[in-house]
Amino acid sequence: MLAGALSAAAALGCAPAGAETVYKYRMPDGRVIYSDKPVPGGRLEREVQPQPPIGPAIAPAPSAQPGNVDKRIAARRDALERATRELEAANAALAEAQRHLEVGREPFPEEFKGIAGGGSRLSEEYEQRQAANARAVAEAKARVERAEEELNQVRY
C-alpha cells in the first residue's frame, strides 16, 4: 500500500504541467500503477486529478509572508512578557495581602471595648478590619488565577 502511495506521489509530481488526469490501475499481481494512458492487463480503480502547479503567479497566504511571521512572533513574545509580569505582580499582591491578614490578626489597643463586669471584647472596627483583610486576600487570589489563565492562554 505504501508503495502505491509513493507511486501516486511520484506520478502526480512528475506529471507535465499540461496533464489532465492520472488513472490508478491495479494489476493482477496486486501492484498499483498510476498512468495517464491505459495500462494493458490492469483494472482501472479511479481517476486522480493532479494538483495545480505552484508557481510565481500564486502568492503565499498573508500569514506565511516573512514580515507577518516576524510580527506574529513579536506580538506573541510581548503578550507572554505582559502575562508573566501580571502574574508576578498578582503574586506579589497576594503575598502582601496575606502578610496584612496575618499581622492584622493581633488587635490594636484601641480595638478593645470594656464591658460591664470588668472584662473586654473586641470592637466592631476589629471585625471590619479582619473582614477587609480577608476580602483583600480573596481578591488577590482571584487576580492570580486570572493571570495564570491568561498566561496559559498565551502559551498554548
Side-chain angles (χ1 to χ4, degrees), residues 8-78:
L12 292 174
C14 296
E20 298 282 326
T21 303
V22 176
Y23 301 95
K24 177 182 176 183
Y25 290 93
R26 178 145 331 251
M27 301 306 289
D29 62 0
R31 289 181 300 136
V32 174
I33 296 176
Y34 290 87
S35 175
D36 60 346
K37 298 178 181 130
V39 175
R43 181 175 46 99
L44 178 63
E45 288 195 348
R46 69 180 180 130
E47 296 179 14
V48 179
Q49 299 295 324
Q51 297 292 329
I54 298 176
I58 300 174
S63 63
Q65 294 176 352
N68 287 343
V69 171
D70 291 341
K71 289 177 185 175
R72 286 185 13 229
I73 289 171
R76 182 177 167 95
R77 184 187 59 239
D78 292 345

Side-chain angles (χ1 to χ4, degrees), residues 54-126:
I54 298 176
I58 300 174
S63 63
Q65 294 176 352
N68 287 343
V69 171
D70 291 341
K71 289 177 185 175
R72 286 185 13 229
I73 289 171
R76 182 177 167 95
R77 184 187 59 239
D78 292 345
L80 278 169
E81 288 174 4
R82 277 193 307 276
T84 300
R85 282 194 306 270
E86 171 57 21
L87 181 57
E88 289 169 355
N91 279 320
L94 176 59
E96 183 68 13
Q98 288 172 329
R99 188 183 70 74
H100 278 278
L101 182 65
E102 288 303 313
V103 169
R105 289 199 196 279
E106 188 66 33
F108 299 136
E110 63 271 10
E111 293 177 327
F112 287 102
K113 290 234 178 194
I115 57 173
S120 66
R121 66 175 178 84
L122 293 171
S123 68
E124 190 175 308
E125 289 82 16
Y126 172 80

